[in-house]
Amino acid sequence: MVYTEALTSSLYLERDDDVTAYDQAFDRLRAATLDVGPSRRLVAQIAKELE
């Protein structure tokens, strides 16, 4: 099951094709993320630049 939320509504998706598409998208996002250490350094660097 996939739960999506928008500003004025939400939606539950249960069809296998929908769940598979969201699962694949989540896997691609997860593969593109930084590890915890580099992520913290990036956030700290950006925060410092915004001061």
Side-chain angles (χ1 to χ4, degrees):
M1 179 183 301
V2 174
Y3 172 75
T4 63
E5 189 173 291
L7 184 61
T8 60
S9 65
S10 60
L11 180 65
Y12 289 92
L13 303 172
E14 297 181 13
R15 286 189 357 205
D16 287 342
D17 291 345
D18 293 332
V19 173
T20 298
Y22 275 84
D23 190 42
Q24 290 172 349
F26 186 76
D27 285 343
R28 287 190 298 273
L29 286 171
R30 186 175 38 223
T33 62
L34 295 172
D35 288 334
V36 173
S39 186
R40 286 180 179 161
R41 286 190 291 277
L42 178 61
V43 171
Q45 174 188 342
I46 292 170
K48 187 175 183 178
E49 291 172 3
L50 293 173
E51 289 179 344

